[in-house]
């Protein structure tokens, strides 16, 4: 099936769950900022969780589908358009996704998955490196993407239990584990509220709040960082590194956002607020185990509801 | 050696002072050993300066009462211990590391700041070229951009502060000096370094099986080539 982008939207890119194995070469893992939403979107249309889909930012595209198919929208919300459930589209149907009414990023999965050449093992778009996805760039007006062949139908009317969704919010409290240099800073950051500044993107969110003063002045050798790492540069304003962040960093590491709360960060817009709450590593791992169980149950629950024709 | 978590999906191995002397070569070597161990759920092994960081999926290490981190740590500590014994024993005859020679066309339109670097060092441009290409460098880390090497070994007299106004676009392959560092921009990007030449080699190519041409622990030298050789390079 072909998807024509009459309007590409503000920043629409092809993403999957990212590329593994190339961080040592300086290539970020990349992939969907809200990986959970992308996985669920794929499950909802009968795809493998890691199939390529569209990541839509703030202002969505206007699309025309060449054939009948099944799509799903997850993550941020587009007003009245249904999210978190499969939608049947007809041949020639036009879908006009305007501005997101909630959240920062939405995911559009299509039955079969978006078909693009895989680079370094992934369909994700590395914007800075200029490779992957749709030619290493965001979608433009007039672009056409194909999907892999999949003729599926959705049976019955049903919906996802909202209780399994992440606790999306415009002012979330995000769980973190301590970073290596946490004790070089006063504890007050645990009580503080930070605002997301406009200087935020897929590489990371720059936060504005009470300046975090470092108690020591030692120079740090650069070391590996991870998506979710919260660094504090000399100006004391924390940066939460995300999917496309550089792989090496030399700033003090205050804390790391736990994996299950990365979706909360991914949905923050400039102007939104965020607080942090420290949990221990065992708790962070328990949260991952629970999330995987929930997705497993969702997978089972969906089996039989989306059928190949 | 010390071990610590980096968030809930990574583990860091830190070299202590006792390994200092050979640290640069050791870090890359340990990373290779850890990759070769192919521990389940480990997707990336990233060496940098004095650390090696493993990225893992906790789901692959959930087993009974042991936490995923403790289980992975046990396996990593085992591999590291074995590696260390081998490293200590072979230190005397250990290879210096893979050698990579980077051809560079210095100056001309490829190195617009060569004259400034020379003036800052109170040397002639020819002397700057001789000293830059006469030194031996070691790759300490790869990051900042895909394939970008952090090199140690720049002769002190060539250290030059970054430009006060960074350029919005530095061509791919440009060789530069920024403070006490020298390196090569693998891709076009903005940059504040002093640009002294360009290499026709592709330090990063997403289409290659090994996309980054340099690795941590590599010994790097630069070789001056002419403009004609640059243009003719395949």
């Amino acid at each position: 099936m072909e998807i024509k982008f009459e309007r590409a939207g503000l920043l629409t890119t092809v993403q999957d769950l990212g590329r593994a194995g190339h961080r040592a070469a300086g290539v970020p893992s990349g992939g969907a900022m809200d990986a959970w939403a992308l996985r669920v979107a794929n499950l909802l249309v009968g795809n493998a969780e890691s199939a390529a889909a569209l990541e839509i930012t703030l202002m969505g595209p206007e699309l025309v589908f060449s054939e009948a198919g099944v799509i799903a929208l997850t993550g941020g919300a587009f007003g009245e358009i249904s999210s978190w459930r499969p939608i049947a589209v007809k041949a020639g149907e036009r879908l006009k996704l305007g501005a997101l009414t909630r959240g920062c990023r939405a995911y559009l999965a299509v039955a079969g998955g978006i078909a693009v050449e895989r680079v370094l093992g992934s369909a994700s778009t590395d914007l800075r490196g200029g490779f992957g996805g749709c030619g290493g760039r965001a979608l433009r007006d007039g672009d056409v993407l194909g999907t892999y062949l999949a003729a599926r139908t959705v049976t019955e009317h049903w919906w996802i239990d909202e209780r399994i969704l992440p606790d999306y919010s415009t002012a979330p409290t995000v769980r973190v584990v301590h970073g290596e240099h946490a004790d070089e800073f006063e504890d007050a950051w645990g009580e503080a509220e930070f605002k997301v500044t406009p200087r935020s993107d897929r590489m990371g969110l720059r936060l504005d709040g009470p300046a975090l003063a470092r108690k020591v002045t030692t120079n740090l050798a650069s070391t590996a960082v991870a998506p979710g790492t919260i660094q504090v540069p000399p100006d004391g304003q924390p940066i939460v590194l995300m999917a496309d962040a550089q792989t090496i960093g030399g700033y003090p590491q205050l804390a790391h956002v736990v994996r299950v709360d990365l979706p909360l960060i991914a949905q923050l817009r400039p102007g939104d607020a965020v607080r942090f709450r420290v949990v221990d590593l065992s708790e962070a791992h328990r949260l991952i185990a629970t999330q995987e169980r929930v997705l497993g149950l969702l997978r089972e629950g969906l089996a039989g509801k989306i059928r190949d024709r | 050696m010390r071990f610590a978590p980096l968030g809930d999906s990574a583990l860091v191995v830190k070299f202590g002072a006792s390994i200092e002397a050979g640290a640069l070569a050791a870090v890359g070597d340990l990373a290779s050993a850890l990759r070769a161990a192919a521990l389940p759920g480990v997707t990336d092994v990233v060496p940098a300066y004095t650390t090696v960081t493993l990225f893992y999926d906790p789901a692959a290490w959930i087993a009974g009462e042991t936490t995923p981190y403790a289980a992975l740590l046990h396996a990593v500590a085992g591999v590291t211990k074995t590696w260390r014994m081998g490293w200590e024993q072979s230190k005397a005859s250990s290879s210096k590391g893979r050698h990579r020679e980077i051809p560079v066309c210095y100056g001309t339109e490829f190195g617009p700041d060569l004259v400034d670097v020379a003036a800052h060092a109170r040397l002639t441009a020819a002397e700057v070229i001789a000293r830059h290409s006469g030194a031996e460098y070691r790759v300490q880390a790869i990051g900042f951009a895909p394939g970008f090497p952090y090199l140690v070994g720049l002769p002190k007299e060539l250290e030059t502060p970054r430009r006060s106004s960074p350029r919005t676009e530095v061509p791919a392959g440009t060789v530069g000096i920024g403070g006490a560092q020298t390196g090569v921009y693998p891709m076009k990007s903005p940059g504040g370094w002093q640009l002294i030449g360009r290499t026709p080699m592709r330090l990063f190519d997403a289409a290659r099986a090994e996309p980054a041409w340099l690795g941590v622990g590599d010994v790097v030298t630069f070789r001056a080539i002419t403009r004609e050789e640059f243009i003719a390079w395949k």
Side-chain angles (χ1 to χ4, degrees):
Chain A
M1 183 227 279
E2 285 193 341
I3 306 171
K4 171 101 186 277
F5 288 75
E6 299 284 351
R7 297 295 201 117
L10 180 67
L11 177 66
T12 304
T13 54
V14 176
Q15 303 291 348
D16 57 17
L17 292 177
R19 24 187 74 86
H22 299 285
R23 292 187 76 86
V27 180
S29 310
M33 291 277 278
D34 182 348
W36 193 88
L38 182 137
R39 292 170 76 182
V40 172
N42 274 322
L43 286 178
L44 289 170
V45 298
N47 290 344
E49 287 175 31
S50 57
L54 298 174
E55 178 176 272
I56 294 162
T57 317
L58 291 173
M59 175 68 75
E62 187 176 322
L63 309 169
V64 178
F65 299 95
S66 67
E67 284 159 43
V70 182
I71 67 169
L73 286 161
T74 60
F78 292 100
E80 295 304 306
I81 302 176
S82 290
S83 299
W84 305 104
R85 55 186 306 266
I87 299 171
V89 295
K90 300 192 268 285
E93 183 160 338
R94 177 177 297 261
L95 178 66
K96 199 167 173 176
L97 297 169
L100 273 173
T101 50
R102 215 181 35 201
C104 187
R105 293 172 173 92
Y107 296 85
L108 192 157
V110 186
I114 306 282
V116 290
E117 192 190 323
R118 296 173 77 77
V119 178
L120 295 177
S122 167
S124 289
T125 310
D126 189 318
L127 290 168
R128 200 153 157 260
F131 57 83
C134 177
R137 58 168 177 78
L139 274 301
R140 290 186 201 132
D141 296 355
D143 276 342
V144 177
L145 287 181
T147 66
Y148 293 109
L149 204 61
R152 296 195 186 123
T153 48
V154 182
T155 67
E156 310 165 30
H157 286 288
W158 50 272
W159 53 93
I160 289 187
D161 188 336
E162 277 206 0
R163 284 173 296 176
I164 73 164
L165 302 186
D167 216 353
Y168 295 125
S169 164
T170 54
T173 295
V174 168
R175 288 163 295 199
V176 301
V177 291
H178 269 138
E180 161 140 20
H181 309 109
D183 47 14
E184 292 181 6
F185 296 89
E186 299 292 344
D187 286 340
W189 65 273
E191 311 294 319
E193 182 183 83
F194 297 92
K195 284 248 187 280
V196 178
T197 71
R199 288 170 303 132
S200 301
D201 57 20
R202 284 183 48 88
M203 287 182 70
L205 274 64
R206 284 179 181 260
L207 304 181
D208 181 52
L212 304 183
R214 204 171 156 220
K215 292 187 272 191
V216 298
T217 53
T218 47
N219 249 325
L220 299 170
S222 292
T223 184
V225 290
T229 295
I230 303 175
Q231 291 187 311
V232 185
D235 66 4
Q237 301 299 321
I239 304 172
V240 184
L241 301 181
M242 292 294 279
D244 287 356
Q246 292 170 21
T247 55
I248 304 275
Y251 292 139
Q253 297 175 6
L254 180 69
H256 306 272
V257 175
V258 302
R259 186 197 288 192
V260 304
D261 281 355
L262 288 174
L264 301 185
I265 301 280
Q267 296 301 344
L268 293 176
R269 306 179 181 211
D272 285 347
V274 61
R275 289 176 190 274
F276 299 106
R277 178 164 75 85
V278 178
V279 299
D280 64 28
L281 188 55
S282 309
E283 171 69 3
H285 284 157
R286 265 195 299 276
L287 292 168
I288 291 176
T290 301
Q291 184 177 88
E292 292 307 311
R293 254 199 313 278
V294 167
L295 276 171
L297 289 172
L298 180 62
R299 222 177 283 127
E300 279 172 32
L302 287 174
K305 292 197 169 54
I306 301 156
R307 296 217 200 92
D308 290 338
R309 270 193 258 125
Chain B
M1 316 272 280
R2 289 190 301 123
F3 304 89
L6 184 94
D8 60 11
S9 304
L11 182 160
V12 187
V13 182
K14 302 182 209 207
F15 282 66
S18 61
I19 291 248
E20 207 184 81
L24 293 178
V27 163
D29 205 64
L30 172 59
S32 297
L34 285 165
R35 262 182 226 119
L39 299 172
V42 172
T43 55
D44 291 82
V45 179
V46 183
Y49 291 88
T50 60
T51 62
V52 180
T53 304
L54 289 87
F55 289 74
Y56 67 97
D57 179 4
W61 290 85
I62 293 170
E65 296 297 309
T66 321
T67 66
Y69 178 74
L72 174 66
L73 176 57
H74 182 77
V76 171
V79 173
T80 303
K81 186 173 171 190
T82 304
W83 166 82
R84 183 157 184 174
M85 289 188 317
W87 177 261
E88 300 281 343
Q89 278 164 15
S90 71
K91 226 173 12 190
S93 59
S94 69
S95 69
K96 279 182 86 176
R98 185 175 64 180
H99 178 220
R100 292 300 214 201
E101 186 184 75
I102 302 180
V104 183
C105 181
Y106 286 97
T108 70
E109 73 266 34
F110 301 137
D113 304 326
L114 178 63
V115 171
D116 290 341
V117 169
H120 183 268
R122 286 199 251 256
L123 298 167
T124 64
E127 282 167 336
V128 170
I129 293 171
R131 290 172 200 225
H132 188 265
S133 59
E136 202 174 74
Y137 305 86
R138 180 82 78 160
V139 181
Q140 288 191 300
I142 303 271
F144 165 68
F148 181 91
Y150 289 70
L151 298 175
V152 70
L154 180 69
K156 272 213 119 28
E157 62 272 21
L158 298 185
E159 292 179 15
T160 316
R162 290 169 175 74
R163 299 188 71 76
S164 47
S165 304
R167 288 186 172 80
T168 48
E169 206 174 274
V170 174
T174 298
V175 177
I177 291 176
Q181 292 186 290
T182 189
V184 185
Y185 287 88
M187 310 175 310
K188 178 177 74 177
S189 85
W193 283 20
Q194 306 285 354
L195 314 181
I196 62 172
R198 203 184 305 171
T199 178
M201 295 215 65
R202 300 199 65 179
L203 260 67
F204 180 82
D205 187 342
R208 284 198 297 244
E210 294 284 331
W213 191 61
L214 295 175
V216 171
D218 282 352
V219 172
V220 171
T221 54
F222 294 95
R223 179 173 66 90
I225 61 173
T226 64
R227 201 166 170 281
E228 289 68 40
E229 285 174 290
F230 182 102
I231 291 162
W233 200 273
K234 281 277 171 285

